[in-house]
RNA sequence: UGGGGCGUCGCCAAGCGGUAAGGCACUGGAUUUUGAUUCCAGCAUUCCCAGGUUCGAUCCCUGGCGCCCCAGCCA
């Protein structure tokens, strides 16, 4: 792991309060939580919040957290997702130890419990099709009506259910329903479907089953089987809680877990819904699920965000029950905070323009010492080269400087970081008038500090790279995927808010020589430019590709 | 307009009847060979609104208003 794992001081929140009380009262001697993803896609930053909450609570209170795949719908699930989810949870720095579970491991028990409900007259086989069931369900303001099959005999229900199990009926022809209350004001209690017929191979249990339990019939019972004490989920499951409890009340479960809900994460300038992320991938708007601009954990990881930064972010945003929108800048700030501490500095010129120092001997090369971190001498120094021809960033030169600009101008002076003070004496142009080369002179006595020999202080310091020593590289500048804070808002198509400048690829960048042997995992701060790391997929030793993780704060650009 | 939930600074968020934590953002100023970092200072007489209970209410009660979730054989 890259960096400082200073476990952020855990802010108090309602879940911690509940747990503290449960522990204090002796209701539980230790807690067990779980992170229960359905393996039907890649995890995103919203899942990171759930992971940090569940694993974090277990860690802080000396309990344990299970990883459980809620794999009750084989039509949507794949082994690829199971593998990816495990990898992302591990990447975030959490460990489920021996406690890896699958809801599908409980299929036999759940089947028996379904039979138990039938025997008790609390479940029945429904012959109505999906449309008819919907019609009988009523509406938000009107009660539902009983299905004609609701009063089937226990014997007939048992027979039909076992034949569903045996695979006698095609998909969609029958379901098993709980017999609760078709007039309940809570729609999830209007005889919810427990089992449906799906003839499809399952990633974990193969083709052993022809019927699959619904989420509601699997989740609470799985929690009970695993002896989960605190089953923490997002707010949209709150209206399912009475049903969750109905199953625990009516089945001989071995334990009594409790469900608690928190508000899911909303992040500005991105979309989080699986459907939309999938569309971005399918339409080729991004290069894949791990495109560095994606809010997926694989994308964030490839971008270069550190797990510590993501964890810290989750800690900072807190846990509550009110709908909230977290500004993307908070996440970016967590990344900066982490990387500022850990990232060694280097110099890289992204938009190179050549500067020839006319009074510097053409055959001379100097070795200068550069600190790897301005506040951390223990990180050491490195040697960089200085010569007559150097690259500087085109953005650091203005022929007609705007007000407040204090970098290089014609006739002006600027400090080369770790090097000399130089003055620009003139520009060379091509026929079109575009500047092709800068010329200048250096002050031999100005190696240390920002003062000239006669005591004048220069106001600008710029980065640079010795031209003959430079290493070529491609650098990808990533920005937010969307230009609107809430592209997901109802009404308009979210794609109209795509940020056309979300990636800019610069192919002629010049890096300092030390970067030639850079480790893929090392995040660097390219001084004055931001934090960068090699793209783990595309960077090769003879063709370096760096991703910009995040920019530096810039008080100048804001003006 | 059925049921459930939420409403404290620009964005998050503590607070649980005793007189508004913290973070981010923002604004000043200091240090700085990164317009970075760091530092120091400022930043809600007020908690959606209106009544009520109380010596005292963001916290309790009543009534409004606003927003979110639920009518998949998805999770």
């Amino acid at each position: 792991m890259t960096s400082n794992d200073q476990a952020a001081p855990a802010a108090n929140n309602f879940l911690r309060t509940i747990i503290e009380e449960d522990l204090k009262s002796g209701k539980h001697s230790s807690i067990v939580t779980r992170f229960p993803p359905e393996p039907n896609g890649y995890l995103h930053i919203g899942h990171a919040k759930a992971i940090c909450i569940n694993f974090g609570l277990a860690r802080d209170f000396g309990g344990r957290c299970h990883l459980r795949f809620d794999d009750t719908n084989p039509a949507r699930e794949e082994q690829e997702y199971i593998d990816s989810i495990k990898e992302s949870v591990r990447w975030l720095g959490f460990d489920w130890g021996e406690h890896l579970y699958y809801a599908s491991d409980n299929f036999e028990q759940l089947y028996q419990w379904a039979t138990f409900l039938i025997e008790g007259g609390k479940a029945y086989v429904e012959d109505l099709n999906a449309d008819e069931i919907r019609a009988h369900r009523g509406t938000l303001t009107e009660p539902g009506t009983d299905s004609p099959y609701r009063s089937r005999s226990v014997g007939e229900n048992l027979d039909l259910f076992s034949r569903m199990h045996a695979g006698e009926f095609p998909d969609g022809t029958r379901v098993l329903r709980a017999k609760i209350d078709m007039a309940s004001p809570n729609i999830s209690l209007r005889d919810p479907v427990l089992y449906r017929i799906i003839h499809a191979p399952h990633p974990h249990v193969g083709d052993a089953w022809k019927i699959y339990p619904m989420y509601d019939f699997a989740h609470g019972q799985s929690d009970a089987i695993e002896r989960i004490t605190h089953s923490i989920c997002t707010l949209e499951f709150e209206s399912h809680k009475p049903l969750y409890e109905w199953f625990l009340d009516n089945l001989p479960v071995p334990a009594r877990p409790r469900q608690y809900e928190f508000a899911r994460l909303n992040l500005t300038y991105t979309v989080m819904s699986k459907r939309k992320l999938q569309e971005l991938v399918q339409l080729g708007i991004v290069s894949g699920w791990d495109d560095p601009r994606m809010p997926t954990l694989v994308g964030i990881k490839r971008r270069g965000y550190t797990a510590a930064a993501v964890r810290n972010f989750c800690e900072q945003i807190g846990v509550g029950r009110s709908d909230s929108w977290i500004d993307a800048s908070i996440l970016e700030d967590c990344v900066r905070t982490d990387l500022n501490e850990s990232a060694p500095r280097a110099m890289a010129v992204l938009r190179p323009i050549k500067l020839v120092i006319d009074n510097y001997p053409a055959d001379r090369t100097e070795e200068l010492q550069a600190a790897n971190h301005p506040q951390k001498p223990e990180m050491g120094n490195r040697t960089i080269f200085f010569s007559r021809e150097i690259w500087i960033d085109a953005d650091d030169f203005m022929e007609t400087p705007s007000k407040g600009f204090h970098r290089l101008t014609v006739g002006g002076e600027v400090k080369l970081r770790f090097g000399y003070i130089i003055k620009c004496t003139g520009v060379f142009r091509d026929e079109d008038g575009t500047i092709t080369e800068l010329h200048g002179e250096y002050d031999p006595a100005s190696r240390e500090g920002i003062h000239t020999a006669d005591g004048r202080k220069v106001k600008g310091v710029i980065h640079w790279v010795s031209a003959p020593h430079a290493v070529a590289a491609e650098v990808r500048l990533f920005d937010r995927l969307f230009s609107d804070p809430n592209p997901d808002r109802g009404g308009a198509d979210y794609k109209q808010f795509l940020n056309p400048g979300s990636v800019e690829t610069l192919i002629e960048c010049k890096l300092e020589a030390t970067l030639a042997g850079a480790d893929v995992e090392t995040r660097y701060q390219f001084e004055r430019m931001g934090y960068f790391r090699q793209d783990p997929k595309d960077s090769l030793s003879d063709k370096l590709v760096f991703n910009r993780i995040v920019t530096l704060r810039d008080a100048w650009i804001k003006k």
Side-chain angles (χ1 to χ4, degrees), chain A residues 113-334:
Chain A
W113 278 340
T115 300
F116 179 88
L117 286 181
I118 293 173
E119 288 167 342
K122 292 173 182 169
Y124 62 98
V125 172
E126 172 68 272
D127 286 10
L128 257 28
N129 65 35
D131 287 341
E132 293 164 331
I133 288 175
R134 187 178 313 116
H136 280 74
R137 188 148 34 219
T139 67
L140 294 177
T141 53
E142 299 161 327
T145 50
D146 288 1
S147 161
Y149 301 97
R150 197 173 200 260
S151 51
R152 275 221 251 242
S153 70
V154 169
E156 189 183 4
N157 281 320
L158 250 16
D159 172 61
L160 252 15
F161 188 51
S162 71
R163 287 163 64 193
M164 283 168 63
H165 176 227
E168 281 190 36
F169 310 119
D171 289 10
T173 53
R174 276 178 241 263
V175 293
L176 181 73
R177 293 230 253 172
K179 192 186 288 186
I180 306 180
D181 178 8
M182 287 307 291
S184 173
N186 181 337
I187 291 176
S188 65
L189 257 20
R190 316 239 264 229
D191 288 10
V193 172
L194 269 31
Y195 272 90
R196 66 301 210 188
I197 300 167
I198 302 175
H199 292 267
H202 183 284
H204 188 61
V205 295
D207 50 15
W209 293 83
K210 306 303 172 200
I211 56 173
Y212 290 88
M214 296 288 288
Y215 161 85
D216 286 309
F217 193 66
H219 203 91
Q221 289 90 307
S222 297
D223 284 342
I225 290 167
E226 291 177 35
R227 311 247 168 198
I228 300 298
T229 56
H230 301 262
S231 182
I232 300 162
C233 61
T234 45
L235 244 20
E236 64 267 30
F237 290 100
E238 188 162 33
S239 58
H240 295 237
K241 182 145 64 178
L243 179 55
Y244 179 101
E245 291 177 339
W246 189 88
F247 290 127
L248 298 180
D249 286 340
N250 288 280
L251 259 13
V253 293
R256 184 67 193 223
R258 295 283 171 184
Q259 174 181 306
Y260 300 95
E261 312 83 17
F262 67 93
R264 70 186 318 147
L265 169 68
N266 292 301
L267 239 203
T268 58
Y269 297 100
T270 191
V271 293
M272 220 87 97
S273 88
K274 200 157 293 175
R275 199 212 104 215
K276 295 189 176 81
L277 294 177
Q278 195 150 44
E279 192 175 38
L280 291 172
V281 173
Q282 279 168 355
L283 262 31
I285 292 169
V286 295
S287 63
W289 288 93
D290 66 347
D291 185 290
R293 294 166 293 175
M294 290 283 271
T296 52
L297 262 18
V298 286
I300 280 172
K301 176 186 176 194
R302 181 174 172 192
R303 171 83 166 255
Y305 283 21
T306 59
V310 175
R311 268 182 263 127
N312 219 281
F313 168 73
C314 291
E315 201 60 58
Q316 274 192 33
I317 59 177
V319 184
R321 287 174 62 86
S322 53
D323 298 318
S324 60
W325 281 88
I326 306 295
D327 199 282
S329 65
I330 307 253
L331 211 207
E332 292 163 0
D333 190 77
C334 287

Side-chain angles (χ1 to χ4, degrees), chain A residues 34-43 47 50-51 54-55 66-72 77 81-82 84-86 89 100-103 215 219 274:
Chain A
R34 102 270 90 113
F35 171 60
E38 181 189 16
N40 69 342
Y42 293 89
L43 260 27
H47 293 108
I51 293 168
N54 280 294
F55 279 94
H66 299 178
L67 173 61
R68 175 167 84 232
F69 287 101
D70 242 331
D71 53 352
T72 55
E77 298 154 6
Y81 299 132
I82 293 175
S84 167
I85 288 168
K86 285 188 198 168
V89 174
L100 172 64
Y101 302 100
Y102 294 79
Y215 161 85
H219 203 91
K274 200 157 293 175

Side-chain angles (χ1 to χ4, degrees), chain A residues 12 19 28 36 50 110 233 237 269 282 345 504:
Chain A
N12 198 27
I19 291 171
H28 299 295
L110 291 170
C233 61
F237 290 100
Y269 297 100
Q282 279 168 355
R345 316 283 124 132
E504 182 179 4

Side-chain angles (χ1 to χ4, degrees), chain A residues 1-9 59 91-94 304-313 315-316 333-345 373 376 378-379 523 531:
Chain A
M1 201 156 300
T2 320
S3 45
N4 33 326
D5 231 358
Q6 77 281 69
R59 177 237 293 139
W91 173 71
L92 260 184
F94 296 107
Y305 283 21
T306 59
V310 175
R311 268 182 263 127
N312 219 281
F313 168 73
E315 201 60 58
Q316 274 192 33
D333 190 77
C334 287
V335 175
R336 286 191 191 100
T337 300
D338 183 21
L339 262 20
N340 175 53
E341 285 291 314
S342 61
R345 316 283 124 132
H373 189 116
K376 297 191 169 187
E378 66 274 21
M379 284 177 75
R523 279 88 169 152
Y531 296 95

